[in-house]
Amino acid sequence: MGIFDYFKSKNTPSSASVAKDRLQIIVAHERTKRQQPDYLPQMQQEIIAVIRKYVQIGNEDVQIQLDNTDDCSVLELNVTLPEQN
Amino acid sequence: MAKIIVVTSGKGGVGKTTSSAAIGTGIALKGHKTVIIDFDVGLRNLDLIMGCERRVVYDFVNVINKEATLSQALIKDKRTPGLFILPASQTRDKDALTTEGVQEVLEDLAKEFDYIICDSPAGIERGAQMALYFADAAIVVTNPEVSSVRDSDRILGILQSKSKRAEDGREPIEEYLLLTRYHPERVALGEMLSVSDVEDILAIPLIGVIPESEAVLKASNQGAPVILDVESEAGQAYIDAVDRLMGEERPLRFLEVQKKSFIKRLLGG
């Protein structure tokens, strides 16, 4: 590593810390998905189909998540409606 | 009662077979009767790493299909007393490993052996699931690299949901992290995930760190488990890992950058 690399490395994070950040995000995301029941994707599609009868929305506009805390499960449904003109 | 330990990883090429051979040998050297089973049906390799490839007559699938008895298929290791190898089948399809068949063989082995090491194939398909299904403990072999860490986390999820212990609602499989191909120099430069980075992400107890070492390739070339190369760093790191697996405390070694002497630098060593 030359002297110029030394100064450069002060500004940009090391590739290892980039790797760690990326891994922490993807692993956390995959862990929540892993704990979700198998029927969730299917249910999401059906909910989207019902909403589409009334409002035009895209597949990404519906977020669905199941959170388990002790003895209580919360099904969270987030629908982003298109802006009205 | 035998303890069943699966050596698994999800990703291929991280050192599962090298680690199975080293750890199995290390446990046998401690005086416990040990068998290493190759679960990689179709891609048999444990025999080569253990240097017994020319002594394979019958295999795991032959035993499951009752074409051979266990004692016919088991290969006695020539170097380490109390160590046996059960080779994988080379030709048959992966469906050859049935849950009932594997269970029966493991139950028979449990009568004779103290430790059963299951060398898992890569991936998360049937072979890998069979290797971990009956396990009491799992050694998750991981390289300090993004795809390996992610796949290890995936395998941890499978250990926690698809193993027999999970299905029966028994105490979960003991999980241990074995970090392999570690370059202290690259970690120091910020080019490689450190031990603590990987520990933070996977959050399971660390059983050992094996430094990248020329001794590993040399050992596989010669068909002798690297743990027998007691001069090498990798060999010593595996000895430490086996000691920790047996509940002994060992400080981590070979994590610091070693200063090369002037002469060594000059010679390009």
Side-chain angles (χ1 to χ4, degrees):
Chain A
M1 197 159 86
I3 190 160
F4 295 109
D5 293 322
Y6 177 75
F7 287 114
K8 207 172 75 185
S9 70
K10 287 233 161 173
N11 302 323
T12 48
S14 72
S15 67
S17 66
V18 173
K20 188 183 182 183
D21 292 345
R22 290 174 59 216
L23 270 170
Q24 276 175 326
I25 292 165
I26 190 67
V27 162
H29 177 72
E30 286 175 346
R31 277 181 194 159
T32 50
K33 272 209 158 164
R34 198 187 292 158
Q35 284 151 9
Q36 289 179 347
D38 299 337
Y39 61 73
L40 223 56
Q42 171 82 32
M43 192 166 82
Q44 180 166 2
Q45 285 310 309
E46 288 180 23
I47 290 169
I48 291 170
V50 170
I51 297 172
R52 275 215 191 115
K53 278 186 178 175
Y54 306 94
V55 197
Q56 266 315 305
I57 53 160
N59 277 345
E60 314 79 47
D61 295 332
V62 174
Q63 298 290 329
I64 188 164
Q65 200 172 326
L66 191 69
D67 288 320
N68 292 307
T69 45
D70 295 330
D71 48 19
C72 170
S73 297
V74 178
L75 184 73
E76 192 181 305
L77 183 68
N78 247 310
V79 186
T80 315
L81 294 176
E83 280 180 41
Q84 283 185 328
N85 294 319
Chain B
M1 192 57 203
K3 184 163 187 174
I4 303 176
I5 303 175
V6 60
V7 179
T8 184
S9 71
K11 192 175 181 297
V14 297
K16 281 182 297 296
T17 302
T18 299
S19 298
S20 299
I23 290 167
T25 303
I27 294 173
L29 284 171
K30 285 185 164 287
H32 306 289
K33 209 173 171 200
T34 305
V35 56
I36 316 175
I37 309 177
D38 190 348
F39 272 78
D40 205 345
V41 172
L43 292 169
R44 173 163 81 206
N45 272 322
L46 178 69
D47 55 339
L48 269 179
I49 300 299
M50 293 297 297
C52 63
E53 68 277 9
R54 296 183 61 183
R55 292 162 63 207
V56 175
V57 182
Y58 295 109
D59 58 55
F60 194 11
V61 173
N62 290 140
V63 179
I64 287 176
N65 292 343
K66 310 252 191 295
E67 295 152 359
T69 63
L70 253 181
S71 52
Q72 284 176 308
L74 284 173
I75 302 171
K76 190 176 187 310
D77 190 80
K78 283 197 169 159
R79 297 186 188 86
T80 312
L83 180 63
F84 290 78
I85 291 105
L86 184 55
S89 167
Q90 190 62 302
T91 50
R92 315 252 186 147
D93 64 315
K94 300 222 178 234
D95 296 329
L97 294 182
T98 59
T99 313
E100 299 74 26
V102 172
Q103 179 165 21
E104 208 176 309
V105 172
L106 289 177
E107 279 170 359
D108 284 347
L109 287 171
K111 291 173 200 156
E112 294 249 347
F113 290 91
D114 303 319
Y115 285 89
I116 301 171
I117 311 294
C118 302
D119 180 19
S120 173
I124 51 171
E125 299 303 315
R126 183 168 189 82
Q129 294 204 9
M130 273 299 112
L132 66 80
Y133 188 67
F134 296 100
D136 301 307
I139 295 172
V140 181
V141 184
T142 308
N143 291 168
E145 175 272 324
V146 284
S147 51
S148 174
V149 175
R150 182 201 210 168
D151 290 358
S152 291
D153 191 68
R154 190 84 203 278
I155 276 290
L156 288 171
I158 293 172
L159 286 166
Q160 287 152 15
S161 62
K162 300 223 169 106
S163 61
K164 182 131 179 43
R165 276 177 174 268
E167 285 177 4
D168 294 351
R170 279 186 296 152
E171 226 174 280
I173 295 178
E174 298 165 37
E175 299 158 341
Y176 301 106
L177 170 63
L178 181 69
L179 204 55
T180 56
R181 310 202 72 160
Y182 196 72
H183 285 266
E185 298 82 10
R186 304 198 72 181
V187 173
L189 290 173
E191 294 175 359
M192 182 179 263
L193 291 165
S194 69
V195 181
S196 60
D197 288 341
V198 182
E199 278 186 291
D200 282 352
I201 295 161
L202 294 179
I204 57 171
L206 182 70
I207 197 80
V209 180
I210 314 298
E212 175 76 52
S213 164
E214 290 162 14
V216 174
L217 181 60
K218 202 172 121 198
S220 76
N221 285 342
Q222 294 172 333
V226 70
I227 198 168
L228 296 176
D229 184 353
V230 292
E231 303 286 310
S232 70
E233 290 191 352
Q236 292 172 36
Y238 273 117
I239 292 172
D240 288 353
V242 171
D243 287 347
R244 291 188 201 104
L245 197 63
M246 297 289 126
E248 295 164 41
E249 293 222 359
R250 291 283 178 276
L252 287 169
R253 292 195 276 173
F254 316 120
L255 300 189
E256 304 304 323
V257 180
Q258 288 181 347
K259 295 250 173 12
K260 278 185 187 167
S261 70
F262 178 71
I263 301 287
K264 241 187 171 176
R265 271 170 201 265
L266 212 64
L267 297 173

